[in-house]
Amino acid sequence: MLQVTVPWAEYKSRFTSRFEALVIDWLQEASTSAVAEALALSWDAVDGIRQRAVERGIARREAVSPKNLMVDEISFKRGHKYVTVISDIDTGAVLDVVLDRTKESLEAFPQSLTESAMTLPR
């Protein structure tokens, strides 16, 4: 099978860029399951669109040097699952989201950074 790059769609996507933008807009208001049902798509198709949007956002980030960090633990799924959110207090920008709330995962945050790795959206 040969896949051809076209200007109106993302690489490895079955959907046009405009349709993916619509899905991302809907995802800001509803869950992945609700958007999938409303647009007659599979959950995996909607999640793939979300993942590509996140990758595009990460690619557009620029380097920063935050001076003040904030760490917050947020529970979801009836309080049995947690994420740790690391933010820049001065700008409010989220720097990392860790899918647990252990001491080890928080200690790994600064060790995982290189000099140019800490970035924020433009």
Side-chain angles (χ1 to χ4, degrees):
M1 178 196 296
L2 175 67
Q3 184 172 18
V4 178
T5 303
V6 293
W8 59 84
E10 290 288 320
Y11 178 70
K12 292 189 176 181
S13 174
R14 302 179 314 141
F15 308 106
T16 66
S17 298
R18 289 185 69 158
F19 181 75
E20 288 200 3
L22 171 75
V23 171
I24 295 304
D25 286 345
W26 283 34
L27 283 170
Q28 292 177 20
E29 303 296 329
S31 69
T32 302
S33 298
V35 173
E37 183 177 338
L39 296 174
L41 297 171
S42 70
W43 189 94
D44 290 331
V46 174
D47 187 57
I49 292 169
R50 183 195 54 79
Q51 287 180 25
R52 284 188 292 281
V54 169
E55 289 171 8
R56 286 191 302 270
I58 289 171
R60 289 192 302 263
R61 292 163 70 132
E62 59 188 46
V64 297
S65 298
K67 293 182 174 48
N68 301 299
L69 296 177
M70 176 176 73
V71 177
D72 193 12
E73 297 172 346
I74 300 171
S75 66
F76 62 99
K77 295 211 177 193
R78 299 181 191 227
H80 299 293
K81 302 228 181 219
Y82 293 86
V83 294
T84 301
V85 180
I86 303 168
S87 306
D88 181 343
I89 291 176
D90 300 322
T91 64
V94 174
L95 302 173
D96 198 8
V97 177
V98 183
L99 297 177
D100 59 22
R101 62 176 188 165
T102 64
K103 179 180 175 183
E104 292 77 23
S105 64
L106 185 58
E107 288 173 344
F109 171 71
Q111 296 171 358
S112 68
L113 299 174
T114 63
E115 192 171 310
S116 63
M118 212 183 286
T119 57
L120 283 176
R122 291 182 184 171

